[in-house]
Amino acid sequence: MPEVEATVVLGIRITDWPALRAAARAVVEDLDFDGVDPEGQRAALLREVSEDANAALGALLHPDRLVSTIPGVEALGGTLEISVTEDFAPDFAELFPLEAEESGGAVGDWTLTPRTACLLHTQLITLADAAYDDLDEHEDEPVIEEEEHDWAVLARLPRRTWGMHRSWRRALARTFDDLAEDLALGEWPLPRCLAEELALRLALVDARELLGAQPQAVADMMGDLPVDLYDYDWDGCVDELFGVYGPDDGDPDLDTTDRTDQLLAATHPEGWFLPYEDAEERDPARGYRR
């Protein structure tokens, strides 16, 4: 029988990370590990596929596993290479259609437009990247006032967080990704905890500043997304996106921003990730991008 070398190129979009993670973990549980500490190897790989989508895909798309499903064929070896398409972006025109009377629970005539969603999504992803970069470079090092310029994001947080540990910082980085994922699914990025309130606030600040400093770059980013009256209505974003979830007690004369500031000051940073009672809890096993 002849030996055949086959090259397969697949374009894949991850649409359900929890389902992908569960499938990858099931595969790893069934693998046989040889050598020193096989159970330690299994635990390490389980941890990797639980936190990294590329690792999860690698477990599921391994050549030996793929070939084993084809009758009459024996795997002679092979390699797997996975690369991320850098220019992928959600179709915000489809996700946030302007012709809809309501979008994600819009109140009155205001809506989250495709261009606003696109710019906000970009800033959330950028902040997540920067927060993970801070984590990779500084780990548990505290932020020092004289060295704030050495930090991309974490030095912008309230000073009481400057000495927080690595796990806390990693969870904070994930809040940007969580809100960006909401937008990528066509949902309004409604903060579900205090940490997400802070993350969305930073993204709105950066989106406003980028639009003011580099309007042409923003225009180029938008491509052929439709134009609308409510594009880049940052005050409207504050009014409509904040305060949907969260405690409604406290001083009724305070606006949402001031009420959030009071809660941030009164709550230890460890408690900033506790979901609001009226908000759906995010999947606790969703893992981290890094």
Side-chain angles (χ1 to χ4, degrees):
M1 289 292 107
E3 294 183 5
V4 178
E5 180 176 317
T7 300
V8 179
V9 179
L10 295 174
I12 295 175
R13 177 179 300 171
I14 298 173
T15 59
D16 190 339
W17 164 233
L20 173 65
R21 180 180 57 235
R25 288 182 60 89
V27 167
V28 174
E29 292 285 5
D30 289 338
L31 291 177
D32 293 325
F33 291 86
D34 298 322
V36 178
D37 191 15
E39 288 310 309
Q41 296 178 52
R42 187 188 310 279
L45 187 53
L46 282 170
R47 185 166 53 252
E48 187 174 351
V49 301
S50 296
E51 297 183 354
D52 186 347
N54 286 345
L57 284 172
L60 292 165
L61 297 177
H62 192 279
D64 289 345
R65 174 178 170 77
L66 293 179
V67 172
S68 67
T69 64
I70 304 175
V73 175
E74 176 186 6
L76 299 179
T79 59
L80 173 66
E81 296 182 5
I82 297 177
S83 60
V84 179
T85 303
E86 298 293 343
D87 58 356
F88 167 75
D91 185 349
F92 291 106
E94 179 180 342
L95 292 170
F96 298 93
L98 293 176
E99 65 271 19
E101 293 183 2
E102 292 188 354
S103 175
V107 177
D109 294 329
W110 193 91
T111 188
L112 187 62
T113 70
R115 289 182 172 236
T116 303
C118 178
L119 183 53
L120 193 52
H121 178 269
T122 300
Q123 295 311 301
L124 286 164
I125 293 297
T126 300
L127 284 163
D129 286 336
Y132 280 116
D133 288 345
D134 276 347
L135 188 63
D136 291 341
E137 181 175 354
H138 298 285
E139 295 284 339
D140 286 308
E141 296 175 11
V143 178
I144 299 175
E145 186 172 356
E146 295 78 11
E147 301 175 357
E148 292 178 60
H149 59 278
D150 292 333
W151 300 73
V153 173
L154 297 180
R156 298 174 60 186
L157 304 180
R159 288 174 179 266
R160 61 187 308 206
T161 70
W162 285 7
M164 295 302 293
H165 51 81
R166 185 181 187 280
S167 295
W168 187 94
R169 291 171 170 177
R170 197 177 186 210
L172 190 282
R174 184 172 60 179
T175 61
F176 298 110
D177 276 337
D178 286 339
L179 293 167
E181 180 67 12
D182 290 342
L183 287 164
L185 294 174
E187 301 172 0
W188 287 17
L190 304 177
R192 306 186 194 185
C193 63
L194 278 172
E196 291 187 13
E197 300 250 7
L198 190 58
L200 184 58
R201 185 185 299 183
L202 290 176
L204 287 170
V205 168
D206 288 1
R208 186 193 295 264
E209 290 183 352
L210 181 62
L211 182 63
Q214 303 182 45
Q216 187 56 54
V218 172
D220 293 341
M221 183 193 308
M222 295 302 115
D224 58 357
L225 287 176
V227 177
D228 187 77
L229 175 66
Y230 288 109
D231 285 343
Y232 316 130
D233 179 11
W234 309 124
D235 292 337
C237 287
V238 172
D239 292 339
E240 302 294 342
L241 302 181
F242 292 94
V244 175
Y245 301 126
D248 55 6
D249 53 356
D251 189 343
D253 295 330
L254 293 178
D255 60 22
T256 302
T257 300
D258 290 336
R259 188 177 298 120
T260 299
D261 286 338
Q262 279 195 352
L263 288 171
L264 288 169
T267 307
H268 189 278
E270 294 284 6
W272 291 1
F273 302 101
L274 295 176
Y276 295 136
E277 290 184 2
D278 53 348
E280 181 181 356
E281 183 180 2
R282 297 193 187 276
D283 179 7
R286 63 194 181 280
Y288 299 83
R289 176 143 54 97
R290 296 190 208 168

